Every structure is written in C-alpha cells, then in structure tokens.
Amino acid sequence: MLLEENLRRVEQNIEAAAERGEHAAEAVTLLAVSKTKPASAIRELYEAGQRDFGENYVQELREKAAELPKDIRWHMIGHLQRNKVKYIAEYVSMIHSVDSLALAETIEKEAAKYDRIIPVLVEVNVAGEDTKFGVLPEDADALVRQISALPHVAVRGYMTSAPYTDTPEENRVYFRKLRELSVDTHLKNYNNVNMGVLSMGMSNDYEVAVEEGATLVRVGTSIFGARQYVNR
C-alpha cells in the first residue's frame, strides 16, 4: 500500500500548506498525475479514494479510460493538438492546456457533437519560458473573453507550470502573479466564465502553490514515484 501512503502524505502536506496560507484545505483538489503509470497503479489509488487523474497524452488517456472505472475524472493536462480533441471530447472532465482560440473553437465543435459543455483552463506561461506552452500573462484575459462566447466551452480558471527548481520558494512569485491575474479576470464578470480553479504546483513546489492560493495541484512523482518514459 505504498501508493496510498504517498497519497495520504501529500494530502497532509496540502492541509498544512493551506493552513499556513490561511486557505481552506477542502477547496484544494489533488490531481494525481498518472502519465506513464500503469492502470494497476491508478486502480490502487482509486481504491484508496482518489478520483481525479491527469494525463499528458491523448492515446494513453483513452486506453486507461476504457479499462478503468467510469467514475474517474480524467483531466487532460498536456499540450493538446487540435486533431486529437475528438478522441476525448465525450468524457474528459477538464482540459487544462487551452492556449489559443483555435484550440478552444475545436473543443467547442467536438463538445457540441455530444451536447456537453467542457470545462477548460487557460494555460498561462507566467515565467515566459521558451520551452513552455501557454499564453503570456498580458494576453490571458483577452483569450478568456474570446472563449467566453463559445457555448460548449466553459472557462473555469487558469493553469501554469512554473519553472523546475530545487528551491520551491523561487516559484512563489509566479504563483502569486497567476492568482492576481485570476482575481483581475474574475472581476470582469464575463458570461460563461467562473475563475474558481487555479491549477498550479507540482511535486516539487505544490506546497508553496497551495500557500499562494492554488485550488488544484498536479502531483505525480510524489505519489507514484519516478516516471518511466516510453517512446511515443
């Protein structure tokens, strides 16, 4: 039951970080990042009560969704190509990586086929890293406004991937900036937009992210252990 022990440890860390930041721990969703991990590991965490899982690759998400319990909430957190949206539109719980109107319009088209509204997060490259996807902070609000006109796509907040660092404290400035950006967008009161989700923080820095107001953290290695990458 090592995975369950890891899960409980992360949950406790989230609770402590929320207390330090004077936030409600129950408002934080723990997303177990299961990319490259076998269905058996996901099932073990499912039996321990975990329901939200994040995948980076559409093909892997499809294979696992077909094999595992139907009440799992699957989150697409990796860069999403427009031609792959159709494969997950029927059941994906949330798409975290929307960084263009063109992608949002494709999600709109595919969601309409199933008469459903797909919740999405706008991905923001807060640190301006060349190797990362996402819109720049100064362009994020305008993209939210454009997406708000799409009836089958619902913006639910912002997402960012902060720089990898051995000193998590260094990323506090980026988490704070995204939270401030989220508050600013929330105040615009766009139709069909609810900025309730702030997806930021991963295994190396999720505690700092929670202190700064993250409502969703994407944790893989601290739960599953080191990843085994395969050629795709």
Side-chain angles (χ1 to χ4, degrees):
M1 300 300 284
L2 178 62
L3 292 184
E4 183 176 357
E5 289 172 19
N6 291 347
L7 179 69
R8 300 294 172 241
R9 188 179 307 114
V10 171
E11 290 173 339
Q12 289 167 2
N13 289 345
I14 288 171
E15 198 169 322
E19 192 172 323
R20 289 194 300 273
E22 299 183 350
H23 303 294
E26 56 269 21
V28 183
T29 297
L30 171 57
L31 182 62
V33 177
S34 47
K35 65 177 182 180
T36 79
K37 295 302 178 183
S40 57
I42 297 171
R43 193 179 294 278
E44 188 176 329
L45 288 171
Y46 176 89
E47 289 170 358
Q50 180 67 22
R51 290 294 180 271
D52 291 276
F53 292 88
E55 290 287 336
N56 279 53
Y57 305 105
V58 168
Q59 182 62 29
E60 197 175 342
L61 193 161
R62 290 179 74 200
E63 290 168 2
K64 291 173 180 176
E67 182 179 345
L68 288 156
K70 297 305 177 195
D71 62 333
I72 286 178
R73 293 182 289 270
W74 294 105
H75 298 243
M76 180 63 196
I77 62 175
H79 180 65
L80 181 57
Q81 294 171 301
R82 288 157 60 193
N83 63 351
K84 299 281 182 70
V85 174
K86 60 189 173 189
Y87 297 119
I88 58 172
E90 186 176 4
Y91 58 83
V92 71
S93 289
M94 183 175 280
I95 296 173
H96 288 230
S97 46
V98 175
D99 59 0
S100 71
L101 181 60
L103 175 56
E105 287 172 339
T106 302
I107 296 169
E108 164 68 27
K109 183 181 78 172
E110 298 300 334
K113 292 177 183 177
Y114 298 101
D115 193 27
R116 65 180 301 235
I117 296 169
I118 297 181
V120 304
L121 303 180
V122 167
E123 182 173 6
V124 185
N125 188 349
V126 182
E129 293 180 277
D130 291 340
T131 55
K132 296 269 178 73
F133 293 102
V135 295
L136 294 174
E138 57 267 29
D139 299 324
D141 186 85
L143 180 56
V144 170
R145 179 171 46 77
Q146 290 174 310
I147 296 172
S148 71
L150 304 175
H152 295 91
V153 181
V155 176
R156 289 293 174 257
Y158 285 134
M159 179 270 251
T160 197
S161 297
Y164 182 82
T165 174
D166 291 325
T167 314
E169 189 62 36
E170 291 176 3
N171 282 338
R172 189 179 296 276
V173 61
Y174 303 120
F175 298 144
R176 191 167 290 170
K177 187 170 183 178
L178 191 69
R179 188 189 73 220
E180 291 167 354
L181 187 66
S182 177
V183 169
D184 289 345
T185 299
H186 170 72
L187 292 173
K188 303 284 180 62
N189 278 321
Y190 296 128
N191 287 334
N192 195 32
V193 171
N194 176 347
M195 299 299 291
V197 179
L198 201 51
S199 173
M200 57 189 193
M202 297 189 283
S203 283
N204 62 315
D205 56 15
Y206 69 90
E207 292 176 71
V208 174
V210 170
E211 289 172 6
E212 288 300 326
T215 66
L216 189 151
V217 292
R218 310 181 305 275
V219 180
T221 306
S222 292
I223 296 174
F224 290 98
R227 293 198 185 98
Q228 291 129 8
Y229 285 95
V230 292
N231 292 327
R232 297 206 161 267

